[in-house]
Amino acid sequence: MSSGDDQQLQALAKPTFTEVQASAVVESVFGLKVSKIQPLPSYDDQNFHVHISKTKDTTDGPIEYVLKISNTESSKNPDLIEVQNHIIMFLKAAGFPTASVCRTKGDNTTSLMSIDSGTEIKSYLVRLLTYLPGKPIAKIPVSTQLLYEIGTLAAKLDKALEKFHHPKLSSLHRENFIWNLKNIPLLEKYVNALGRNRNREIVEQVIQLFKEEIMTKLSHFRECINHGDLNDHNILVESSKSAFGDAVYQVSGILDFGDMSYGYYVFEVAITIMYMMIESNNPIQVGGHILAGFESIIPLTAVERSALFLLVCSRFCQSLVMAAYSCQLHPENKEYLMITAKTGWKHLQQMFDMGQKAVEEIWFETAKSYESGISL
């Protein structure tokens, strides 16, 4: 298949349901009467914010939901979506602020919808989750205390999932999944989207260093299930007033379990650090606070710590390269796809220019300061 065909397939993979069609899905599959529906931003699936009309049967239930329509590629793997749903339910039962998964009229957690597009029949997996209130972290000034708590949350989530069991759990071994951090070499297929410039040179250097320094260490990392996408739009917060009258934020929601896969503890820390750097005024300082929070639950080994710098650079490369590539496929979604790129290239260049030793010194000194009770 030519790369043009491949691009066309990927471009067609994202669902294009209208609001009327999405309302019909909610009513026919989940038996709820829609009063209002509006699209939500998304990467390659389609999401809708759904308000339902109250009836005597739904008086006590929630009135806001999120309808998630998986792209045609993900929809071919119902086992994976089912496992994600059960993880969301498992974490909620364990006290994490995740959504509730709604049952279909047939008492399932997903339903496969077949739509005639005029030229072919396309199938999409649909599911309905309760809507979580709160603001994305991207919309607030993030304190060092909140960064620490997010690091703690990432570790607690991975630790809780050690106890998760499901007959289809093997579906999380997603060997060629582009968003698993161990698949950085797969980015070579997409770097042409960057053109010829310094950004591309950095990406190619990171890929090469990853092959030399990370691939050889993977067997020494401790394996776990990763959320894999604790970004600044997937963590919600709500505020309360402190004794001094200013706003104090607590995590109130964790969204989007679509990138879950088997990975390693150190991957979760690296991914979280990278995304929390995006909105920060002091991006290089972020890593130490996240690391301190994470290590208060799961201390990293020396070999895991030594890989952290390159793993954060690698996640920047994943996000930035795939955003550039996806913009070629979906120019209409450019604003959402380029969120990371607004500051991401600058942060990656800064890390690269400073070098591993200098960045690690800041991270590790900051993390160490928490042990003495004086956070930097």
Side-chain angles (χ1 to χ4, degrees):
M1 183 183 289
S2 74
S3 61
D5 290 340
D6 184 41
Q7 283 199 5
Q8 194 178 14
L9 268 180
Q10 289 206 32
L12 293 172
K14 184 166 180 169
T16 54
F17 279 56
T18 64
E19 290 171 23
V20 171
Q21 287 173 318
S23 291
V25 169
V26 174
E27 294 181 12
S28 64
V29 176
F30 299 95
L32 297 171
K33 180 73 180 158
V34 175
S35 62
K36 182 181 166 191
I37 191 164
Q38 58 207 117
L40 290 168
S42 59
Y43 192 82
D44 54 7
D45 296 326
Q46 202 177 10
N47 299 325
F48 289 91
H49 185 182
V50 181
H51 294 252
I52 64 152
S53 306
K54 283 288 189 188
T55 67
K56 63 178 190 300
D57 297 328
T58 60
T59 307
D60 299 328
I63 58 166
E64 292 181 73
Y65 295 86
V66 174
L67 175 68
K68 296 185 76 68
I69 306 168
S70 297
N71 64 68
T72 50
E73 289 306 301
S74 298
S75 295
K76 291 172 186 170
N77 194 348
D79 288 357
L80 178 64
I81 307 286
E82 185 186 330
V83 167
Q84 289 169 10
N85 280 342
H86 281 271
I87 283 175
I88 293 169
M89 293 188 285
F90 171 84
L91 290 172
K92 186 167 184 66
F96 288 85
T98 59
S100 295
V101 179
C102 306
R103 296 273 175 180
T104 66
K105 289 198 285 191
D107 201 30
N108 297 307
T109 62
T110 61
S111 180
L112 193 63
M113 302 290 297
S114 293
I115 305 289
D116 189 344
S117 66
T119 53
E120 60 179 318
I121 303 287
K122 291 185 178 175
S123 295
Y124 301 98
L125 271 173
V126 299
R127 50 191 163 148
L128 196 68
L129 307 175
T130 51
Y131 181 83
L132 292 174
K135 278 186 185 174
I137 274 192
K139 300 273 198 293
I140 65 155
V142 180
S143 66
T144 55
Q145 179 59 32
L146 189 54
L147 290 172
Y148 179 89
E149 285 169 19
I150 290 164
T152 307
L153 175 74
K156 284 180 176 173
L157 197 147
D158 283 5
K159 198 159 187 63
L161 290 175
E162 291 172 6
K163 297 184 174 68
F164 177 76
H165 301 287
H166 191 278
K168 297 169 182 173
L169 197 54
S170 61
S171 62
L172 289 179
H173 287 289
R174 304 166 74 176
E175 287 313 311
N176 291 310
F177 181 48
I178 193 67
W179 291 106
N180 189 308
L181 254 183
K182 72 177 175 192
N183 289 330
I184 291 298
L186 294 181
L187 288 179
E188 287 174 333
K189 289 195 294 188
Y190 304 97
V191 291
N192 284 337
L194 300 177
R196 287 271 168 204
N197 47 41
R198 172 146 196 250
N199 290 342
R200 179 168 173 164
E201 286 170 18
I202 291 175
V203 168
E204 288 175 337
Q205 276 182 273
V206 170
I207 294 171
Q208 190 55 39
L209 286 168
F210 188 93
K211 289 177 180 175
E212 294 166 5
E213 297 182 25
I214 302 295
M215 299 297 279
T216 54
K217 291 177 181 172
L218 287 176
S219 61
H220 299 288
F221 297 162
R222 290 166 298 163
E223 195 177 33
C224 67
I225 297 170
N226 289 149
H227 177 282
D229 197 16
L230 289 173
N231 70 43
D232 45 336
H233 289 265
N234 285 343
I235 300 174
L236 302 177
V237 291
E238 286 187 324
S239 65
S240 56
K241 284 276 192 288
S242 74
F244 303 104
D246 51 350
V248 179
Y249 291 95
Q250 287 91 28
V251 174
S252 62
I254 308 167
L255 305 177
D256 197 353
F257 288 76
D259 285 355
M260 295 202 86
S261 62
Y262 271 104
Y264 306 91
Y265 291 120
V266 69
F267 282 10
E268 199 80 90
V269 198
I271 291 166
T272 308
I273 288 173
M274 176 257 153
Y275 283 122
M276 292 306 116
M277 286 175 69
I278 292 297
E279 303 290 338
S280 176
N281 295 326
N282 299 298
I284 299 298
Q285 307 294 326
V286 163
H289 303 289
I290 298 279
L291 181 62
F294 194 93
E295 290 198 310
S296 71
I297 308 296
I298 303 172
L300 296 184
T301 64
V303 71
E304 288 166 342
R305 267 189 159 214
S306 70
L308 197 53
F309 171 84
L310 197 46
L311 287 172
V312 173
C313 290
S314 296
R315 183 53 167 209
F316 268 117
C317 291
Q318 264 181 327
S319 184
L320 294 164
V321 170
M322 294 316 294
Y325 175 73
S326 296
C327 275
Q328 294 180 342
L329 304 183
H330 299 288
E332 77 286 351
N333 202 22
K334 184 173 182 178
E335 187 180 352
Y336 179 77
L337 292 170
M338 297 305 282
I339 288 169
T340 303
K342 283 177 186 167
T343 54
W345 285 114
K346 187 176 68 179
H347 296 342
L348 177 60
Q349 286 180 11
Q350 186 184 3
M351 284 183 71
F352 227 65
D353 290 343
M354 288 178 68
Q356 179 167 348
K357 192 165 180 292
V359 173
E360 280 183 347
E361 198 170 303
I362 293 167
W363 288 353
F364 297 163
E365 281 301 312
T366 302
K368 194 174 181 185
S369 72
Y370 279 84
E371 293 170 22
S372 57
I374 316 164
S375 56
L376 296 175

